[in-house]
Amino acid sequence: MTKDVIALTARMPDPLTVLAGLLSGGPDKLVGTRGEGAVVQLCDTQGRPLVSVEAPLLVAVEGEAERLLGATPPPVPYWWTEARATTGVAEAERLAGTFATRLTALVGGSAWPPDAVGSLTVVPTDGVSVAPAPAAAQPAVDVLTEKVAVVIQDRPVVAMTAWLSDAFRAAAEARLGLQIVSPAGTTLSPAVRDSLAGWPSRWIVQDERDGYYDGLTGAVLRWQDGMFAPPASPDASDEDPHTQVAASYQEVTDTGERQLGLTFRMVHPADDRLVLGGGLETVWRELTGRPPAGWGTSEPANLSWSLRQLTDLAHRRAPEPTWLVVVGTPDRPALATVRITRTEAGVEEHVTMALGYGRDEECPVDALPALAEALATRHRLQSMLIQLRKARRDMAVPARFEGPGVPLAFVLGAEEVRTLPGDRARRTPLSRAPLPLGPKTRPALYYPLPGDPSDLSGWQDFERLMRHLKGAP
């Protein structure tokens, strides 16, 4: 049974409605708060949380409940209220279900998952107790060891929710890895995948044949020494670790779907007139004909697209970095993550973006040079890598092999070209000369990579180009 229950309501659950939901455990249940009141908790007799309820979130972006839950919400804007039950306590799961049922009964709407909906009667919890702190101190963490924090997610898509974002932050501050465990059939949001880069953080998938495996690499895993890790082989060596790959991970079918991926970096002068997000909006318009649909600091992306609101948020958080997720419309799947940081060079925007295309949809490769020129001349582009990969149109990351992208082009901004000695940027080992972008006196350069998208030869060309630009032999 799921540990997360979500109420999707047309009206905001007011304090009295939330209180009525919290009384699902009876009037003698303890109520506590966390995060400056943003999280309300039903607790056992010793003050340890049974159910944690986050403040209702107003969602003004079409398609987010469908993308992340497979649920049909009320018309936008609607309210998204999450309750997370403590793992392994059946009464806690029933409490979360009854809380969501009471909310939807009072303000209208529906609860996810449908089978979590309970009765309106009080859930008996006499004598129920939960794990002691520190595991219970972080609502999203189910198991805590000296090496990792483990989060169990039984959802269609493991997304970068506010819960999970807090868990990533807490694990990083404690210098721990974060390991996410989910059942077979679950997919991963690209926003979460891009945050699992460092060992021992992993996405662990339950599997009938192999027990557990890494959803991003396929390595079969076992719980050992306080974390999930590949079992050691007696014949292993540094050159050949003999890592077993799960059979489920290798079951690949080519659907003809693919993704166009762009990773680019911009550096702006830090002044009061700076407006952030313009480069990303330019790319979105060039490739889709419209601006992004919405953005937020977690998933679901809940705010309608606004350059001014985005800029104001980053300004308020400075000098601390700001992380954002940006989404497209349901008919044109696209997702980007943006990291905004203040450095000695100015204000940096690092964007990772992907757009999904079906078998019969044309990928706008011909628009890439004009897109790169717009970034270079109007948005202070430093560099950009463009790739094409076989991957799902809906942007969800499955627990099976998809293969790496193949680089189609690399772009070097005008300032970077200027700082390279001599004509190194213009004379390359590639078979095709770079394409100048922008003013002739101060051009950026677009390097078409001649690798065949059906194989990996494009990476060889890209590596040769990087070595050349860095002056390496």
Side-chain angles (χ1 to χ4, degrees):
M1 184 180 293
T2 183
K3 306 300 183 293
D4 297 337
V5 180
I6 300 168
L8 305 172
T9 59
R11 291 186 287 134
M12 178 182 178
D14 57 66
L16 288 178
T17 302
V18 174
L19 179 60
L22 292 172
L23 289 175
S24 58
D28 58 340
K29 250 325 138 261
L30 299 177
V31 177
T33 61
R34 286 179 54 84
E36 299 180 352
V39 176
V40 181
Q41 297 176 323
L42 279 175
C43 304
D44 65 8
T45 55
Q46 299 182 50
R48 296 175 299 207
L50 290 166
V51 175
S52 300
V53 180
E54 194 168 71
L57 180 70
L58 182 63
V59 178
V61 182
E62 293 274 5
E64 285 296 88
E66 294 87 341
R67 177 175 74 92
L68 299 176
L69 302 176
T72 302
V76 294
Y78 60 88
W79 293 88
W80 177 304
T81 307
E82 283 203 31
R84 180 173 175 81
T86 298
T87 303
V89 182
E91 290 81 2
E93 298 171 13
R94 292 173 57 197
L95 279 172
T98 301
F99 169 81
T101 302
R102 290 188 173 196
L103 243 62
T104 55
L106 290 170
V107 296
S110 60
W112 177 92
D115 60 4
V117 175
S119 69
L120 297 175
T121 60
V122 170
V123 177
T125 56
D126 293 341
V128 174
S129 186
V130 297
Q138 171 55 250
V141 173
D142 297 293
V143 178
L144 192 64
T145 74
E146 294 181 352
K147 298 179 180 179
V148 297
V150 180
V151 175
I152 300 172
Q153 289 275 278
D154 189 1
R155 303 166 74 135
V157 180
V158 177
M160 187 60 84
T161 61
W163 301 108
L164 195 56
S165 178
D166 286 344
F168 268 107
R169 189 179 304 109
E173 290 174 354
R175 297 185 179 181
L176 299 173
L178 186 71
Q179 299 194 331
I180 303 170
V181 181
S182 65
T186 299
T187 60
L188 201 66
S189 165
V192 178
R193 176 196 58 199
D194 297 342
S195 300
L196 284 171
W199 180 90
S201 297
R202 294 180 185 272
W203 173 33
I204 297 103
V205 180
Q206 296 174 314
D207 184 66
E208 291 184 354
R209 287 175 287 185
D210 292 299
Y212 298 92
Y213 70 93
D214 189 312
L216 298 179
T217 68
V220 173
L221 305 172
R222 298 288 182 268
W223 181 259
Q224 51 191 3
D225 298 327
M227 66 178 181
F228 283 98
S233 169
D235 301 323
S237 64
D238 293 339
E239 293 76 19
D240 186 2
H242 284 269
T243 301
Q244 180 185 352
V245 178
S248 298
Y249 182 78
Q250 301 178 67
E251 294 174 349
V252 180
T253 57
D254 187 359
T255 63
E257 296 179 336
R258 59 214 184 281
Q259 291 177 11
L260 180 66
L262 304 96
T263 304
F264 54 99
R265 175 173 165 264
M266 299 164 289
V267 181
H268 313 281
D271 59 47
D272 294 337
R273 297 172 297 173
L274 174 62
V275 176
L276 297 167
L280 176 59
E281 180 177 305
T282 295
V283 172
W284 219 289
R285 288 185 181 275
E286 289 282 344
L287 296 178
T288 71
R290 66 188 82 166
W295 69 287
T297 56
S298 61
E299 293 179 290
N302 66 308
L303 300 170
S304 299
W305 180 248
S306 168
L307 296 178
R308 175 52 59 190
Q309 290 182 356
L310 186 156
T311 302
D312 289 345
L313 174 68
H315 186 267
R316 289 195 304 269
R317 291 188 171 186
E320 295 299 316
T322 297
W323 182 93
L324 307 169
V325 60
V326 184
V327 298
T329 55
D331 64 322
R332 168 42 56 219
L335 188 144
T337 57
V338 184
R339 185 173 177 83
I340 300 168
T341 55
R342 180 68 184 269
T343 67
E344 292 183 358
V347 179
E348 296 192 14
E349 287 184 271
H350 190 280
V351 179
T352 300
M353 178 181 178
L355 301 93
Y357 298 91
R359 178 185 294 274
D360 300 324
E361 292 179 305
E362 183 178 356
C363 187
V365 175
D366 294 341
L368 296 176
L371 178 156
E373 184 164 28
L375 285 178
T377 55
R378 300 184 347 229
H379 299 287
R380 297 181 179 271
L381 177 71
Q382 298 292 301
S383 62
M384 177 166 66
L385 175 63
I386 305 170
Q387 304 177 58
L388 187 66
R389 63 192 298 259
K390 295 180 180 179
R392 289 173 49 148
R393 181 182 185 272
D394 64 4
M395 314 307 299
V397 181
R400 66 172 185 268
F401 179 76
E402 282 192 319
V406 174
L408 299 181
F410 178 73
V411 184
L412 201 61
E415 181 63 23
E416 301 296 303
V417 170
R418 187 187 67 83
T419 58
L420 290 179
D423 60 353
R424 182 189 298 171
R426 294 171 178 79
R427 292 181 177 272
T428 73
L430 303 181
S431 58
R432 297 169 62 185
L435 174 67
L437 305 174
K440 294 182 179 180
T441 57
R442 191 181 173 83
L445 293 177
Y446 180 96
Y447 300 89
L449 294 168
D452 183 352
S454 64
D455 59 39
L456 298 181
S457 62
W459 281 114
Q460 298 173 356
D461 297 314
F462 177 70
E463 290 171 0
R464 289 166 55 207
L465 175 62
M466 292 299 100
R467 288 197 300 267
H468 170 78
L469 293 177
K470 294 176 181 177

